[in-house]
């Protein structure tokens, strides 16, 4: 059976309903992961869980040690990663509360440790990243969202920005012209590192605000927190369904 790991983003620093059996403090050649890897049962199945920003939430998106996080999950036995990400909506259909299972990524981040092939130049590997996400995992997420009656898009382009500030209206307009449908700060380099480690990876994105300039008001943390609070029940139900059936 495939060993699944869930990477919880903002609003999901712990997985309610996860019966934790033990926690693994994994040391990696890249430093410490954001938190211990929790090993437990969710939806009647063994699963690994890691809080991307730490538990409690400690690391801003540009400070997350993505290399250590993915390495720790691989070390703990993960084969397939379900990443949960809060995002801003760019495409008109991506309103607050909408889910998106993106099929493509554009990376606008900079200065992050983004590869395992940095030091040992004799073994540089140029991974294929034409299709950044696992189609199998995407299909599982899409089927679960449909079964849960969620509003969702089974496609979309995730634009990954550096943060921690939100974007300007002109930046979002440029991203829209580039073809981005949603914007978030944590989608990269996570997806590419998973591919470098040969881990299947897909993203369950929850829209928590209209991106800059996509509504008549400015973006507030209160609005984002409310949307996270409202959407987390559906996130957990969707993940639970994937695990029960996957
Ligand atoms: N921009 C970038 N990241 C985000 C946003 C946003 O509007 N909302 C949640 N994460």
């Amino acid at each position: 059976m495939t060993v699944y790991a869930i990477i919880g983003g903002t609003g999901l620093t712990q997985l309610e309903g996860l019966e934790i059996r033990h926690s693994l403090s994994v040391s990696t050649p890249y430093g410490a992961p954001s938190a211990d890897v929790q090993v437990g049962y969710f939806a009647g199945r063994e699963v690994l869980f890691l809080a991307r920003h730490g538990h409690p939430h400690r690391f801003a998106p540009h400070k997350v040690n993505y290399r250590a996080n993915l390495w720790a999950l691989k070390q703990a036995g993960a084969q397939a990663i379900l990443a949960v990400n809060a995002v801003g909506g760019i495409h008109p259909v991506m309103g607050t509360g909408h889910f998106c299972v993106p099929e493509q990524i554009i990376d606008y981040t900079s200065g992050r440790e983004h590869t395992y092939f940095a030091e040992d130049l004799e073994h540089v590997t140029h991974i294929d990243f034409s299709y950044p996400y696992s189609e199998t995992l995407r299909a599982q997420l899409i089927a679960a969202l449909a079964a849960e009656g969620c509003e969702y898009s089974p496609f979309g382009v995730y634009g990954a920005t550096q943060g921690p500030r939100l974007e300007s209206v002109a930046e979002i307009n440029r991203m829209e012209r580039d073809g981005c449908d949603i914007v978030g700060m944590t989608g990269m380099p996570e997806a590419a590192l998973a591919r470098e480690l040969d881990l299947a990876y897909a993203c369950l994105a929850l829209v928590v605000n209209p991106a800059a300039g996509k509504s008549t008001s400015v973006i507030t943390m209160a609005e984002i927190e409310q949307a996270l609070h409202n959407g987390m029940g559906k996130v957990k139900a969707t993940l639970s369904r994937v695990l029960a059936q996957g």
Side-chain angles (χ1 to χ4, degrees):
M1 253 174 123
T2 307
V3 179
Y4 283 82
I6 293 166
I7 300 183
T10 303
L12 194 67
T13 56
Q14 58 186 338
L15 190 59
E16 211 178 285
L18 176 71
E19 292 167 38
I20 302 169
R21 293 296 153 97
H22 56 279
S23 288
L24 297 173
S25 159
V26 187
S27 61
T28 85
Y30 307 97
S34 299
D36 287 352
V37 176
Q38 295 180 338
V39 186
Y41 280 83
F42 188 64
R45 166 171 196 162
E46 192 168 59
V47 68
L48 308 172
F49 178 81
L50 180 63
R52 181 186 290 116
H53 298 278
H55 177 56
H57 194 298
R58 286 188 292 150
F59 301 106
H62 64 296
K63 291 286 187 190
V64 169
N65 190 338
Y66 296 94
R67 291 198 300 182
N69 284 356
L70 274 295
W71 191 271
L73 289 174
K74 175 100 180 175
Q75 193 89 348
Q79 296 168 314
I81 311 259
L82 301 168
V84 180
N85 300 72
V87 297
I90 299 178
H91 190 282
V93 86
M94 306 288 176
T96 299
H98 196 83
F99 285 93
C100 177
V101 185
E103 93 280 30
Q104 282 294 333
I105 297 176
I106 300 179
D107 188 5
Y108 299 90
T109 67
S110 59
R112 299 183 181 190
E113 295 288 0
H114 64 285
T115 179
Y116 295 107
F117 302 120
E119 280 91 34
D120 180 2
L121 291 181
E122 276 194 12
H123 294 97
V124 171
T125 300
H126 302 286
I127 50 151
D128 177 81
F129 204 52
S130 310
Y131 302 97
Y133 299 109
S134 154
E135 271 310 311
T136 307
L137 292 184
R138 274 183 16 83
Q140 288 171 353
L141 284 169
I142 290 161
L145 285 166
E148 285 300 321
C150 298
E151 231 193 78
Y152 70 94
S153 297
F155 51 79
V157 177
Y158 181 121
T161 55
Q162 176 69 352
R165 66 166 177 82
L166 295 163
E167 299 71 33
S168 70
V169 171
E171 285 169 336
I172 291 297
N173 288 345
R174 182 182 75 148
M175 291 176 76
E176 186 168 34
R177 287 194 300 275
D178 285 353
C180 296
D181 299 302
I182 52 176
V183 54
M185 301 173 191
T186 50
M188 284 294 282
E190 199 172 88
L193 292 166
R195 181 63 56 85
E196 286 190 353
L197 292 180
D198 203 21
L199 291 163
Y201 180 96
C203 163
L204 175 61
L206 170 65
V207 179
V208 294
N209 60 280
K214 296 299 173 192
S215 80
T216 49
S217 50
V218 296
I219 303 164
T220 65
M221 279 312 290
E223 130 189 43
I224 290 179
E225 275 156 22
Q226 185 63 49
L228 280 168
H229 178 75
N230 295 345
M232 264 323 133
K234 287 180 188 154
V235 168
K236 286 170 197 161
T238 301
L239 294 173
S240 164
R241 209 173 261 277
V242 170
L243 293 173
Q245 291 168 5

